[in-house]
Amino acid sequence: MIMKIVDVLICGLLLGGIYALIAVGLSLQYGVARVLNISHGELIMLGAFGTWSLYTFFDINPLISLVICGPVLFLAGFALHKTLFKSLLKSSGSIGAFEGSSLLACFGLLFIIQNIAITSWGADIKGYSYLSVPVNLGGAIFAANRLVTLAFAVGIGITFYLFLARTRLGKAIRAAAQDPAAAGLMGVNINHVLALCFGFGALMAGFAGVLLSMCYPVKATMGLEYTIIAIIVVVLGGLGSIPGSFIGGFILGIIGSIVSYIEPSLSLAAYYIIFILLLLVKPTGIMGK
Amino acid sequence: MCNMHVLEGERVTRYFGGLAAVSNVDFYVDRGEIVGLIGPNGAGKTTLFNLISAAITLKSGVIRFKGEKISGLRPCRICKKGIARTFQSVKVFPGMSVLENVLLGSLFGAPAKLSRADARAEASSLLEFAGLSEMKTVPAGDLTLASQKRLEVARALATRPELLLLDELMAGLNPTEIAGAMELISKIRDRGVTVFMVEHVMRAMMCICGRIIVLHHGEKIAEGTPQEIAASKTVIDVYLGEQVYAGNQ
Amino acid sequence: MNISTVLTKRSVVGGLVILILLIIFITLPLYAPAYTVILLTAIFMYIVLTVSWALFSGPTGYMSLAPAAFFGVGIYTAAILGMKLPLIVVIVCGGFFSFFLALLVGALTLRLRGIYFAIFTFGLVMLIAYLLLFWELHVTGTRGRFVIAVGHNTVYYIMYGNLVILLIVAVFVRRSKFGLALRSIGENEDAAAHTGVNVTLVKIVTFAISAFFIGTAGAVMATRWTYIDPFIAFNPLFSFMPVLMAIFGGTGQLWGPIIGAAIFAYLEEFLITRFPYYYMLIFGIILVIAILYMPKGLVGLIQKWRKGGGVV
């Protein structure tokens, strides 16, 4: 019995690490840039397909793909904000209006990216096998790739947190999240910071996609599910809070793992129920004010 | 019955976090009065108005309107009972025409149901009263600040209130506009509407208020005629001392 | 009464155009090929979804992503009751179940503002779909259901009737004091509440009315599809499409969502048959361009051209 519990908990942590990473990216994009990026999952999918392609066609190690797919997606996100979202921000009268129109624009991006993926990679499920050797962890057996994934997810998360907390740029980002107008007055180039945040969000999505592709099958339509999970985690942790996203990710991962153990087909429904209850009881999330 | 206060609050208290925004305030407003509410920034003036109009809920204490407990009702009920308000930062409906702004008040806020034609006629006459009849079809968002504030007054009056809460009607206006606003307030009183107002422009308050209540850190520290308030040592110490000289050029 | 005020207020020409359109659409199945009837049914369906969505979300600014939930409730009502009750009763039931679901959801969630409301309503769609799937797999032991098929013309007429009733309701709402209250909520909800508008009631009732018509549309369309399962019935696309169509058309005027839906629905049909693999891609591109270059939709674009045309 105890073995089972440990097993379920560790599975939850493994899942939670990925969820946290996905959520940090979304949180950054919404919390600072005010874009609820519903196409976040598509960027994850791109990261995953990129890794799959590099591995299958060029025999490139997935862990090396991290430094290929991540920066490419960062540039894509940065460019997207510099063009699309910047001009939306200019034409919107208020932040509320911008949130609405940018959400719709993201729906457009979702359709565009997903269908480009379908036409270039096909609609069927792809996968590859990397580091799938079993590892014995306190009696429970896990695939090595899962543990590597968890380690990288946590490592990336901590690095990013330190970046936000310690560096000049990180402080500018946090200032912009608190109060864009005041940050602008203090000499922060706000448009640049917002674009960087969007880029970092895409970077996180890319990392998550690379790591996911090591453990799970890849599919052109996989994005929306991860977007939804990311939204749930972000709301759970409090919009815009990086530690909140991490805590929320692990909580959701563990809950998901428990529910899957009892009844696999209900795990997404369980996420929704948590999400809906949370929105009703404390819409600002566990780390929100 | 005749002596009953129009509005009356007992031990009105509201905390935000650990901070008492309004604490144990007793107050009353009588029919036909113009009562002023003053105090330094953060004294709890707007919070008190928000509690009366139910923009925020009262947790402790009681507020009565014409002897009837109104705390706990929703904002639209309070409005229908006969308490209308304006806002410190103007809240007109920017995309709706000036006439529609006021029409909404007569259609929804008035205690009695009005036909559309009657509501329209009343809205038009109120716009004339507020000096806005030239701009009936203009979107409210295009008006100047002073006109938007007048529009808020007209909209509030359209709900046929017995008591009107004016939250810093004169803030941000130039001296000519302030004079206009003062004239408007006395005209409102002449219509038989009781006025309870928050204001920072002290000279105006001294002129038109019959009675003034002073809040400081959420507590009522003084109450009396403008002369009494101007002479009160407590008030001068905590409030006038720093504010009047700083704020009055 | 409302139709007559519409006719007198607009020019006689406008009235005549409406009358001619009514007659054309009523008599259409008598001479048009079946393909046209089916295509028009689909267009009418999208117009119903879009106008219903815009009825609530247009003036209030609450972006609902719940249409797919109400649509799905209609579809499942048809699937479950279709065998036992007459068609019209089934369809009205579909409307009412959606109506009550909207009352419940509205009472719970309409205090959420901005993006939270959009997320919540979208979550609702997926929650119902997953719970239903679980129910079918574990309780009834089947996946999906068959719906009794009905002739093209019957489906057409019912959808058409549904649309006409909806348009009458929509015109009535826009011109009544209720419509004014809805707009005031979108403009400044606090001020509306303090001016005597019972904002909660107005929002919930309108949300439920809009859900009613989406539910009936779902119940009608179910008879066309014959086989449904939770993910066909509760397809998130039916939440996104009405939003896109309404924004594309512009929500400032009643005809904005109508034109937007008609164009998009036709475009969908056209793209699906010509470029089945690219149609969602093209959709996405049109959407992004529409948001970038015509934030107020076709209505805004046309009004800009006319410049200062009579806005009441």
Side-chain angles (χ1 to χ4, degrees):
Chain A
M1 188 60 207
I2 290 172
M3 227 44 252
K4 269 287 163 223
I5 292 172
V6 171
D7 193 17
V8 167
L9 279 183
I10 292 180
C11 263
L13 285 180
L14 296 178
L15 207 56
I18 297 268
Y19 287 179
L21 211 54
I22 297 171
V24 167
L26 190 83
S27 179
L28 210 56
Q29 291 175 337
Y30 185 75
V32 185
R34 311 308 286 177
V35 179
L36 184 68
N37 184 9
I38 203 89
S39 61
H40 194 60
E42 307 326 299
L43 302 181
I44 298 171
M45 180 266 294
L46 286 182
F49 260 118
T51 315
W52 175 82
S53 301
L54 290 173
Y55 186 79
T56 318
F57 301 123
F58 304 101
D59 212 17
I60 292 175
N61 184 318
L63 292 176
I64 292 173
S65 287
L66 276 176
V67 290
I68 301 173
C69 293
V72 169
L73 280 166
F74 171 82
L75 288 178
F78 186 79
L80 258 181
H81 194 280
K82 278 280 178 187
T83 53
L84 176 63
F85 294 109
K86 194 174 149 194
S87 70
L88 277 181
L89 194 57
K90 247 189 215 156
S91 64
S92 305
S94 65
I95 278 294
F98 174 70
E99 285 188 5
S101 59
S102 63
L103 178 63
L104 286 173
C106 289
F107 275 125
L109 289 177
L110 186 158
F111 292 148
I112 294 171
I113 300 172
Q114 190 181 91
N115 287 282
I116 288 177
I118 290 178
T119 47
S120 43
W121 284 295
D124 45 337
I125 296 173
K126 302 270 193 312
Y128 60 90
S129 168
Y130 172 73
L131 277 184
S132 47
V133 288
V135 173
N136 190 322
L137 207 71
I141 309 288
F142 296 96
N145 53 27
R146 296 239 173 170
L147 299 176
V148 172
T149 300
L150 176 65
F152 270 87
V154 172
I156 292 167
I158 291 173
T159 313
F160 194 70
Y161 185 74
L162 290 177
F163 161 75
L164 282 184
R166 299 283 165 81
T167 65
R168 221 179 106 77
L169 182 58
K171 282 173 187 160
I173 288 176
R174 287 189 306 155
Q178 298 270 322
D179 186 345
L185 289 176
M186 303 307 284
V188 174
N189 180 346
I190 197 74
N191 272 323
H192 205 63
V193 169
L194 296 185
L196 279 176
C197 278
F198 206 81
F200 283 129
L203 177 76
M204 292 295 150
F207 285 158
V210 173
L211 296 175
L212 269 173
S213 72
M214 289 162 51
C215 321
Y216 298 96
V218 182
K219 204 178 156 198
T221 50
M222 68 193 260
L224 193 58
E225 187 180 323
Y226 287 108
T227 305
I228 290 168
I229 288 173
I231 291 175
I232 296 175
V233 172
V234 167
V235 173
L236 190 67
L239 283 175
S241 159
I242 304 285
S245 291
F246 253 81
I247 298 169
F250 283 110
I251 292 178
L252 205 68
I254 289 171
I255 292 172
S257 162
I258 295 171
V259 176
S260 308
Y261 175 68
I262 302 164
E263 175 53 60
S265 66
L266 275 185
S267 60
L268 264 175
Y271 295 166
Y272 281 118
I273 290 172
I274 293 166
F275 172 63
I276 284 173
L277 287 179
L278 189 82
L279 272 184
L280 294 179
V281 178
K282 194 168 185 300
T284 49
I286 40 182
M287 297 291 279
K289 271 156 254 160
Chain B
M1 279 304 262
C2 295
N3 287 337
M4 192 184 286
H5 304 305
V6 169
L7 182 74
E8 163 179 43
E10 265 174 41
R11 297 185 316 281
V12 173
T13 303
R14 173 69 206 230
Y15 280 84
F16 289 132
L19 194 78
V22 171
S23 152
N24 265 318
V25 173
D26 293 317
F27 65 93
Y28 68 91
V29 177
D30 280 333
R31 194 171 295 279
E33 267 192 308
I34 297 182
V35 177
L37 182 60
I38 64 172
N41 285 326
K45 307 180 297 288
T46 295
T47 308
L48 188 59
F49 269 24
N50 283 342
L51 288 168
I52 298 169
S53 64
I56 50 184
T57 48
L58 184 63
K59 295 280 169 66
S60 132
V62 89
I63 297 174
R64 287 192 206 88
F65 181 60
K66 296 194 288 182
E68 182 193 349
K69 177 173 178 264
I70 55 162
S71 33
L73 294 179
R74 280 180 301 150
C76 61
R77 294 296 316 155
I78 305 259
C79 176
K80 284 215 169 75
K81 292 254 177 225
I83 303 179
R85 71 169 294 180
T86 67
F87 299 90
Q88 188 178 6
S89 52
V90 283
K91 291 185 178 175
V92 294
F93 306 119
M96 284 161 53
S97 74
V98 166
L99 183 67
E100 283 174 325
N101 267 266
V102 182
L103 199 55
L104 192 88
S106 6
L107 285 173
F108 288 92
K113 270 223 157 78
L114 289 180
S115 78
R116 264 202 111 147
D118 288 348
R120 241 184 156 71
E122 182 160 324
S124 297
S125 82
L126 278 168
L127 283 177
E128 199 152 325
F129 176 79
L132 292 170
S133 42
E134 313 276 277
M135 300 160 196
K136 267 182 200 172
T137 56
V138 179
D142 292 353
L143 298 181
T144 61
L145 178 69
S147 299
Q148 289 193 1
K149 293 204 162 194
R150 285 173 167 266
L151 177 57
E152 276 204 332
V153 172
R155 184 179 67 191
L157 288 176
T159 67
R160 297 190 176 171
E162 288 176 55
L163 173 68
L164 180 60
L165 308 174
L166 296 174
D167 196 349
E168 297 204 24
L169 185 64
M170 301 174 196
L173 304 192
N174 67 36
T176 332
E177 290 165 343
I178 287 178
M182 283 173 66
E183 197 196 321
L184 186 65
I185 294 171
S186 21
K187 268 163 70 191
I188 293 169
R189 196 235 340 246
D190 296 343
R191 285 172 75 102
V193 178
T194 308
V195 176
F196 192 14
M197 57 190 285
V198 167
E199 203 58 70
H200 272 305
V201 183
M202 290 307 299
R203 264 180 312 194
M205 295 292 266
M206 294 294 168
C207 281
I208 52 177
C209 292
R211 191 158 55 83
I212 289 178
I213 297 171
V214 188
L215 287 185
H216 182 54
H217 290 324
E219 285 171 37
K220 185 169 89 175
I221 56 162
E223 180 173 3
T225 62
Q227 293 73 30
E228 287 165 3
I229 295 298
S232 155
K233 190 162 178 333
T234 354
V235 176
I236 290 169
D237 279 352
V238 304
Y239 177 63
L240 295 176
E242 47 174 301
Q243 282 280 324
V244 161
Y245 300 117
N248 241 357
Q249 285 127 33
Chain C
M1 172 208 117
N2 279 295
I3 291 189
S4 71
T5 54
V6 174
L7 292 185
T8 50
K9 276 201 175 172
R10 296 273 169 88
S11 61
V12 181
V13 183
L16 272 177
V17 169
I18 293 175
L19 196 69
I20 291 169
L21 282 178
L22 276 171
I23 292 170
I24 290 178
F25 287 132
I26 285 181
T27 55
L28 195 93
L30 300 178
Y31 49 82
Y35 171 77
T36 311
V37 174
I38 292 170
L39 174 64
L40 267 177
T41 311
I43 293 179
F44 287 166
M45 175 200 81
Y46 275 123
I47 297 179
V48 169
L49 295 188
T50 308
V51 172
S52 304
W53 180 85
L55 186 71
F56 171 74
S57 295
T60 60
Y62 278 79
M63 182 147 68
S64 161
L65 291 178
F70 304 133
F71 195 66
V73 167
I75 292 175
Y76 258 80
T77 308
I80 293 168
L81 299 180
M83 318 269 172
K84 297 157 198 150
L85 294 169
L87 186 61
I88 285 295
V89 178
V90 170
I91 287 162
V92 173
C93 281
F96 273 110
F97 290 147
S98 293
F99 182 88
F100 290 122
L101 176 66
L103 280 187
L104 182 74
V105 171
L108 280 173
T109 62
L110 277 169
R111 64 200 174 91
L112 298 171
R113 291 193 187 177
I115 214 84
Y116 286 108
F117 180 73
I119 303 174
F120 182 95
T121 47
F122 185 67
L124 180 77
V125 177
M126 303 312 286
L127 176 66
I128 297 178
Y130 281 108
L131 288 180
L132 210 55
L133 181 68
F134 174 77
W135 181 267
E136 289 195 342
L137 289 177
H138 295 267
V139 180
T140 57
T142 52
R143 172 145 189 201
R145 289 166 175 278
F146 289 96
V147 185
I148 290 185
V150 176
H152 299 314
N153 288 354
T154 318
V155 175
Y156 173 83
Y157 277 121
I158 295 175
M159 192 59 91
Y160 180 50
N162 194 20
L163 173 61
V164 171
I165 297 170
L166 168 64
L167 290 180
I168 293 172
V169 170
V171 168
F172 175 74
V173 166
R174 284 188 84 90
R175 284 161 184 259
S176 69
K177 66 179 212 172
F178 204 73
L180 193 65
L182 278 171
R183 279 169 60 205
S184 75
I185 291 172
E187 301 255 323
N188 192 318
E189 191 164 339
D190 290 335
H194 287 291
T195 314
V197 178
N198 189 338
V199 289
T200 320
L201 188 75
V202 169
K203 282 189 295 183
I204 294 179
V205 168
T206 317
F207 191 53
I209 291 174
S210 101
F212 178 87
F213 288 99
I214 299 175
T216 51
V220 182
M221 288 314 280
T223 61
R224 278 261 326 264
W225 289 334
T226 64
Y227 173 79
I228 53 136
D229 76 11
F231 289 100
I232 295 174
F234 293 86
N235 183 346
L237 218 53
F238 289 113
S239 281
F240 301 149
M241 283 309 188
V243 184
L244 309 190
M245 291 171 174
I247 303 277
F248 181 75
T251 55
Q253 299 284 320
L254 179 60
W255 53 268
I258 298 178
I259 302 283
I263 293 177
F264 258 60
Y266 182 74
L267 202 67
E268 181 184 24
E269 187 66 28
F270 176 80
L271 292 175
I272 279 189
T273 46
R274 304 288 158 90
F275 313 102
Y277 300 107
Y278 295 100
Y279 100 95
M280 285 306 290
L281 177 66
I282 299 171
F283 245 51
I285 293 171
I286 293 174
L287 176 61
V288 172
I289 291 174
I291 291 164
L292 266 179
Y293 297 106
M294 31 189 267
K296 289 198 169 152
L298 284 175
V299 168
L301 213 62
I302 289 169
Q303 276 174 349
K304 222 190 222 168
W305 280 334
R306 275 203 259 161
K307 218 163 121 192
V311 185
V312 185

